[in-house]
């Protein structure tokens, strides 16, 4: 794990980032977000990343790191991501807005949901149109970022667009500092069959390298482990 990120998008453009899932939620408290993931909000503990790593060493299960910035509550995961599952997203977006940014094994996915519906979901740089009912605000913002030499990767462009859309900065010190932390062993984690995806989500395509819907994104997160950097708006 590095101690410093010289430029906020560089971590997303290196080979050190196997996976991460970052969900930004507007309209829910920290406790409500933790509960929507299926964890016990009353048992969440204020821990730094180092403390969480000591108490919950890398193993099967999900580790939720939850905090607030501006009008958004965020949940950051660098292990097996619970926040990409359809049931979790459906609960998060029922009466709020959710922006999801996911990366694993060379694939970046951006998704936005609101009031129980998928508004847009896409892989930056792919030619397939986004899923969802629109408007495609993040899709257009990411496309505008792709030619930017300061964000030379798909993930870098997505990070810049999401940060500008949310109007917040997520510093490395924020991600590694004290946050409400909840560990979910496999026995507590959401089943894929438990709830359907939000309305407006069409069936995912099967092949990596083409657009991947919510279900296939979740499957990729199960294979990923250990994010080792953070980012801030530049």
């Amino acid at each position: 794990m590095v101690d410093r990120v010289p430029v906020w998008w560089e971590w997303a453009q290196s080979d050190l980032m196997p996976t991460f899932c970052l969900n930004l939620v507007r309209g829910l408290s920290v406790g409500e977000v933790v509960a929507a993931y299926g964890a016990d909000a009353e048992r969440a503990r204020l821990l730094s990343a180092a403390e969480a790593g000591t108490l919950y060493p890398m193993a099967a299960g999900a580790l939720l790191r939850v905090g607030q910035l501006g009008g958004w509550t965020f949940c950051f995961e660098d292990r097996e991501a619970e926040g990409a599952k359809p049931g979790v997203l459906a609960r998060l977006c029922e009466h709020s807005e959710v922006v999801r940014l996911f990366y694993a094994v060379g694939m970046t996915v951006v998704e936005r949901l609101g009031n129980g519906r998928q508004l847009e979901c896409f892989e930056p740089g792919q030619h397939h149109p986004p899923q969802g009912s629109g408007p495609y605000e993040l899709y257009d913002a990411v496309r505008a970022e792709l030619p930017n030499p300061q964000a030379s990767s798909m993930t870098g462009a997505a990070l810049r667009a999401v940060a500008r859309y949310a109007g917040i900065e997520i510093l490395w010190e924020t991600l590694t500092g004290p946050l409400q932390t909840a560990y979910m062993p496999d026995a507590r984690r959401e089943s894929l069959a438990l709830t359907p995806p939000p309305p407006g989500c069409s069936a995912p395509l099967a092949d990596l390298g083409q657009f991947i819907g919510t279900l296939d994104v979740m499957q990729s997160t199960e294979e990923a482990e250990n994010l080792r950097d953070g980012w801030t708006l530049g």
Side-chain angles (χ1 to χ4, degrees):
M1 181 178 292
V2 300
D3 296 323
R4 184 177 64 88
V5 180
V7 184
W8 73 268
W9 61 86
E10 285 187 354
W11 68 271
Q13 299 175 181
S14 73
D15 294 330
L16 298 175
M17 307 300 110
T19 187
F20 73 90
C21 184
L22 173 66
N23 283 351
L24 306 176
V25 186
R26 178 156 53 190
L28 296 183
S29 67
V30 168
E32 289 171 328
V33 167
V34 173
Y37 274 72
D40 186 347
E42 294 186 357
R43 299 188 66 178
R45 302 176 60 181
L46 190 65
L47 300 172
S48 69
E51 292 168 335
T54 299
L55 285 173
Y56 309 110
M58 184 60 62
L63 186 67
L64 314 178
R65 302 266 296 152
V66 186
Q68 286 187 313
L69 286 170
W72 297 84
T73 299
F74 68 89
C75 183
F76 181 78
E77 300 176 85
D78 62 1
R79 302 186 184 185
E80 296 184 358
E82 198 72 2
K85 292 184 176 179
V88 174
L89 290 170
R91 290 192 295 273
L92 287 173
C93 79
E94 184 176 4
H95 302 294
S96 60
E97 181 182 10
V98 178
V99 175
R100 178 171 71 93
L101 178 58
F102 169 80
Y103 172 81
V105 292
M107 179 181 65
T108 302
V109 175
V110 180
E111 184 171 17
R112 187 167 63 93
L113 309 99
N115 295 320
R117 296 193 64 83
Q118 184 189 66
L119 304 176
E120 53 184 324
C121 186
F122 60 94
E123 284 190 59
Q126 297 297 321
H127 297 298
H128 306 284
Q131 292 183 347
S133 60
Y136 301 140
E137 297 182 45
L138 286 175
Y139 178 73
D140 292 338
V142 173
R143 288 185 65 188
E145 284 288 349
L146 288 176
N148 190 334
Q150 292 183 325
S152 57
S153 74
M154 302 301 176
T155 313
L159 284 172
R160 295 176 69 92
V162 166
R164 284 180 170 80
Y165 177 83
I168 59 176
E169 296 183 349
I170 299 182
L171 302 169
W172 178 233
E173 290 80 4
T174 301
L175 294 178
T176 58
L179 293 173
Q180 291 295 323
T181 304
Y183 174 71
M184 296 181 65
D186 282 344
R188 288 287 307 273
R189 299 181 68 200
E190 179 102 332
S191 167
L192 275 179
L194 189 60
T195 53
C201 297
S202 57
L205 299 178
D207 298 329
L208 289 174
Q210 296 185 0
F211 174 78
I212 305 297
T214 304
L215 179 59
D216 287 324
V217 171
M218 191 290 308
Q219 289 171 336
S220 295
T221 68
E222 300 296 331
E223 302 170 358
E225 56 182 16
N226 238 15
L227 169 70
R228 291 185 281 178
D229 269 304
W231 62 281
T232 175
L233 179 64

